[in-house]
Amino acid sequence: MSTPPAAPAAPQSGPGASAPVASPDAGVDTHCPYCALQCGMTLRPGPGGPEVVERPAFPVNRGALCGKGRTSAEVLSSAVRLTGPLVRGADGDLAPASWDEALDRVAAGLLRVRAAHGRDAVGVFGGGGLTNEKAYALGKFARVVLRTSQIDYNGRFCMSSAAVAHQRAFGLDRGLPFPLADIGATGCVILVGSNLADTMPPALRYLTELKRNGGTLIVVDPRRTRTAEQADLHLQPRPGTDLALALGLLHLVVAEGRTDADFVAARTTGWERTLPGVMAHWPELVERITGVPVPQLRRAVALFCDAPESMVLTARGPEQQAKGTDTVSAWINLCLATGRAGRPLSGYGCLTGQGNGQGGREHGQKADQLPGYRKLDDPAARAHVAAVWGVDPDGLPGPGRSAYELLDALGRDVRALLLMGSNPVVSAPRARHVAERIAALDFLAVCDVVLSETAALADVVLPVTQWAEETGTTTNLEGRVILRRKAVDPPPGVRTDLEVLGALAERLGHDKGFPADPEEVFDELRRASAGGPADYSGISYARIAAEDGVFWPCPQDSAERTPDGEPAGTPRLFLDRFATPDGRARFTPVQHRPAAEEPTPDFPYYLTTGRVLSQYQSGAQTRRVRELNEAAPGPFVQLHPRLADRLGVADGEPLAVTSRRGRAVAPARVSPAIRPDTVFMPFHWPGEGSANTLTNPALDPASRMPEFKVCAVRVEKA
């Protein structure tokens, strides 16, 4: 790709990165189990159990931890997690069982369904929190042992739209093509649909540095969040109109003569085909669509273009839409037309959400991919991976269903499911329907740390280790491959996911190829990824430990070497060329279109969803931590005072929100920080306050991402 520039400073390894790992008595250096920052921390023994200690040397968070990270050791307690297998008995209840009994039941259930209904009647559903080793082994297990095409994972709900847009513009998908530290040194950031202050608090320091260094921050969000309060300019569009907003800004760039004609000519293709759609979105039209006044549009363009370097960063807001891929493409087009890509301190980046959302989709648990980000329908990719696995490439199944489509097929086409590291009963769109489909399965086996709402429906529940009880790699939002080290022993009745897959593979006739040692799995992953877009072949556990993470791509045969003679990683992508066949970035012609569901007289308001500071994803783990529950004890409905007055509801009173899919009830939270035509609900809770009871599973045609972020609802006093 390219070598990093001499300036600005954002080294691949941080201060003290080559220092040895602390001794077990002093603590073990590891990483947070939650979001894609993968903050560095040290876990050391304490009088009441393991304690989390800051680790300032790690360059991403530099010691800072949010409340979830600080309290993460509490979930290691045997009091809040599973400590032995559970099997559903004749009475319909889950009861303790031995490991042999539980594993035998799982193997028999999968074999029974496969014999009766065929290989694709057995499905596998993974998670964006699984380590690279586990994601790799799960994909291999599905395709080699079960020989099913029906595998996908909950990362499809995270940043799949940005991934597709990345690939079609740049030829490669890595969330951030530069280190986080570059954000603090650029001139202007447009942050679209992200509330970093609540979702990734340690990353907020980079926006603080940006402003301290004289840069400007533009936040695009229907809500005035804690992050938006830090902005120099807050654009507050209607939900689902981010695509029109990006087109409108680019229209002004062209109209005001701010395009970088030299960059467009030298390093891109497709501008002529893209321009007509851009010019069709004039400022007054965009104001009518988005609700953002024209003067604010003009100011945003001036701030972005007057800065010597600029970035656009997107998150779930614009991505979790039925047009999310086109929306991200529109923001990428803005960067390309202004020459803000493929240059130091400039470019487009996606803020990955889940802990291993990046690595999780690179190594084979996604419906259409093989390890190394290879395409499953590419004959050369199939041949390479099949050779590593020692199987016939013609025997590998083809692409299967995407995540929601797989869940929707449960109990019909897909009759048995092995689920690992996910809780779709809470996290999937149209959640009540998904729970019904899961209940209709002939057989369900779940591997999890806790008895989640989904695990409670299983025929067999297998208790597995978590972050501090096992070693493995994850890949953070920068593309930095890091090493989570085992710091404590798990309870006696708990096994690793790798051990579970190995034991099941043996019972299903494959006594080799599924080792329990994570480093052995990683070494095989390196070989499988070699030569692919996400090439990890030059990365090793020893290197990660010495350098505090290695950025991919890092091919073993790279001509660029470190001072120690190792193949160099790639902190900054695209500085010399883009990863397309001709080295040029590609513009994508896009047009605004409405959300899949717009307000009507029966459902007159928008619903948008998101996270809160003290909970994470489906809450399966964070809802078991006292401090976090005290800070965020349950769901709520945020609404504007004008809407509250119209409904006659006071702050704290129960409010019913109804969509075409269901009804949820939660206390009102009256705030001027949200648009009067929009209500907001966090999605961390099950039960009557479950936001995903309401959300729309309408899918983006390219990424198959559901439209979590916008649907039409009715709001009334409960």
Side-chain angles (χ1 to χ4, degrees), residues 72 85 242 272 278 305 316 366 397 427 433 435 456 458 597 649 695:
S72 54
D242 309 87
E272 295 78 9
V278 172
C305 293
R316 306 302 78 75
K366 200 163 173 240
S427 64
H433 170 75
E597 218 176 62
V649 65
T695 47

Side-chain angles (χ1 to χ4, degrees), residues 385-655:
V385 174
V388 174
W389 288 350
V391 300
D392 182 352
D394 292 336
L396 295 176
R401 293 175 172 88
S402 70
Y404 180 77
E405 292 166 305
L406 174 57
L407 294 172
D408 188 45
L410 299 181
R412 294 188 283 251
D413 297 330
V414 179
R415 310 292 292 268
L417 185 69
L418 173 63
L419 187 145
M420 187 174 287
S422 186
N423 188 18
V425 166
V426 179
S427 64
R430 198 184 174 195
R432 188 169 299 156
H433 170 75
V434 169
E436 291 169 355
R437 300 310 332 140
I438 289 174
L441 282 164
D442 295 351
F443 182 80
L444 172 65
V446 173
C447 300
D448 211 331
V449 173
V450 298
L451 189 65
S452 69
E453 287 73 19
T454 305
L457 302 177
D459 297 284
V460 179
V461 182
L462 302 175
V464 291
T465 51
Q466 53 181 310
W467 62 289
E469 299 165 347
E470 60 187 7
T471 293
T473 62
T474 62
T475 306
N476 81 344
L477 76 173
E478 309 166 295
R480 184 194 302 259
V481 185
I482 57 96
L483 184 64
R484 286 188 194 164
R485 297 175 178 88
K486 179 179 178 180
V488 297
D489 290 327
V494 173
R495 297 186 183 181
T496 70
D497 293 279
L498 295 178
E499 289 174 325
V500 168
L501 291 174
L504 288 175
E506 186 174 359
R507 283 166 168 79
L508 295 169
H510 293 258
D511 58 356
K512 294 180 180 178
F514 292 89
D517 177 16
E519 188 167 8
E520 186 177 346
V521 176
F522 187 76
D523 286 342
E524 182 178 303
L525 180 158
R526 294 170 60 194
R527 298 195 302 276
S529 74
D535 191 329
Y536 282 33
S537 60
I539 304 175
S540 65
Y541 275 26
R543 282 198 65 190
I544 298 172
E547 300 175 29
D548 249 341
V550 180
F551 290 84
W552 74 263
C554 183
Q556 182 64 49
D557 59 0
S558 172
E560 299 173 11
R561 316 300 285 190
T562 70
D564 295 330
E566 298 281 5
T570 316
R572 297 174 182 83
L573 300 171
F574 314 138
L575 298 184
D576 300 326
R577 68 188 310 275
F578 295 97
T580 56
D582 61 4
R584 292 169 173 258
R586 297 180 288 242
F587 280 96
T588 303
V590 294
Q591 293 276 356
H592 174 71
R593 57 186 186 272
E597 218 176 62
E598 292 285 348
T600 64
D602 290 338
F603 299 94
Y605 304 105
Y606 293 103
L607 168 70
T608 191
T609 64
R611 284 172 48 189
V612 297
L613 175 62
S614 294
Q615 299 290 351
Y616 180 71
Q617 303 300 76
S618 75
Q621 295 182 7
T622 51
R623 285 187 275 115
R624 287 166 166 80
V625 177
R626 177 186 54 79
E627 179 182 327
L628 301 179
N629 275 334
E630 289 176 353
F636 60 85
V637 182
Q638 185 184 41
L639 73 164
H640 193 275
R642 292 213 301 267
L643 178 54
D645 288 345
R646 190 177 308 139
L647 299 173
V649 65
D651 195 78
E653 290 185 340
L655 199 60

Side-chain angles (χ1 to χ4, degrees), residues 32-407:
C32 179
Y34 294 117
C35 82
L37 286 180
Q38 289 297 279
C39 291
M41 59 171 60
T42 298
L43 204 64
R44 71 181 183 193
E51 296 178 343
V52 171
V53 182
E54 293 180 354
R55 180 152 69 97
F58 187 63
V60 174
N61 60 310
R62 306 174 195 166
L65 295 169
C66 72
K68 295 185 289 292
R70 284 190 299 99
T71 60
S72 54
E74 292 192 25
V75 188
L76 298 170
S77 168
S78 296
V80 299
R81 49 91 57 83
L82 295 166
T83 56
L86 301 173
V87 170
R88 197 168 298 280
D91 59 0
D93 294 332
L94 288 170
S98 69
W99 268 100
D100 280 341
E101 179 186 357
L103 291 167
D104 288 346
R105 282 281 295 270
V106 175
L110 300 178
L111 284 172
R112 183 173 63 250
V113 168
R114 185 171 70 180
H117 303 286
R119 293 197 299 264
D120 279 354
V122 178
V124 176
F125 199 86
L130 300 180
T131 63
N132 290 319
E133 293 80 359
K134 292 191 283 190
Y136 171 84
L138 187 63
K140 180 181 178 182
F141 179 85
R143 294 179 174 110
V144 172
V145 177
L146 299 177
R147 299 186 66 195
T148 179
S149 68
Q150 300 303 302
I151 175 173
D152 210 70
Y153 82 127
N154 63 16
R156 179 78 67 170
F157 300 156
C158 180
M159 57 171 289
S160 55
S161 291
V164 174
H166 255 132
Q167 288 165 337
R168 68 188 187 185
F170 307 129
L172 183 70
D173 162 43
R174 196 179 85 185
L176 292 181
F178 39 71
L180 273 166
D182 283 6
I183 294 171
T186 191
C188 178
V189 169
I190 301 180
L191 184 65
V192 189
S194 172
N195 181 16
L196 278 180
D198 282 2
T199 59
M200 296 180 176
L204 198 62
R205 68 167 63 225
Y206 296 107
L207 300 181
T208 302
E209 289 177 7
L210 166 76
K211 299 189 69 176
R212 187 170 63 235
N213 292 334
T216 55
L217 173 64
I218 302 168
V219 171
V220 179
D221 200 308
R223 304 165 59 222
R224 188 162 182 80
T225 63
R226 293 197 306 136
T227 307
E229 289 173 354
Q230 310 299 314
D232 298 280
L233 176 63
H234 175 206
L235 307 181
Q236 206 165 358
R238 293 186 183 94
T241 64
D242 309 87
L243 175 51
L245 179 64
L247 286 165
L249 295 179
L250 185 48
H251 178 108
L252 286 170
V253 165
V254 176
E256 295 175 6
R258 293 177 177 270
T259 55
D260 186 334
D262 291 341
F263 179 89
V264 170
R267 299 201 60 190
T268 74
T269 61
W271 175 234
E272 295 78 9
R273 292 185 299 109
T274 302
L275 187 57
V278 172
M279 300 317 293
H281 291 79
W282 61 92
E284 291 76 16
L285 173 63
V286 170
E287 178 179 303
R288 289 201 298 274
I289 294 171
T290 65
V292 177
V294 171
Q296 290 189 7
L297 299 176
R298 294 188 184 279
R299 187 178 176 216
V301 168
L303 291 174
F304 187 73
C305 293
D306 288 347
E309 299 95 9
S310 302
M311 297 176 180
V312 173
L313 305 175
T314 69
R316 306 302 78 75
E319 298 162 19
Q320 287 181 327
Q321 299 183 27
K323 55 181 180 295
T325 301
D326 284 354
T327 301
V328 173
S329 291
W331 289 106
I332 291 175
N333 289 345
L334 175 66
C335 292
L336 294 177
T338 54
R340 309 305 171 99
R343 291 176 171 172
L345 301 180
S346 289
Y348 165 78
C350 169
L351 299 171
T352 308
Q354 294 192 73
N356 198 30
Q358 180 71 55
R361 69 181 181 281
E362 294 168 1
H363 296 301
Q365 63 172 332
K366 200 163 173 240
D368 57 349
Q369 286 176 193
L370 288 168
Y373 229 139
R374 287 181 160 91
K375 300 297 291 182
L376 188 53
D377 56 4
D378 176 3
R382 294 168 67 88
H384 174 88
V385 174
V388 174
W389 288 350
V391 300
D392 182 352
D394 292 336
L396 295 176
R401 293 175 172 88
S402 70
Y404 180 77
E405 292 166 305
L406 174 57
L407 294 172

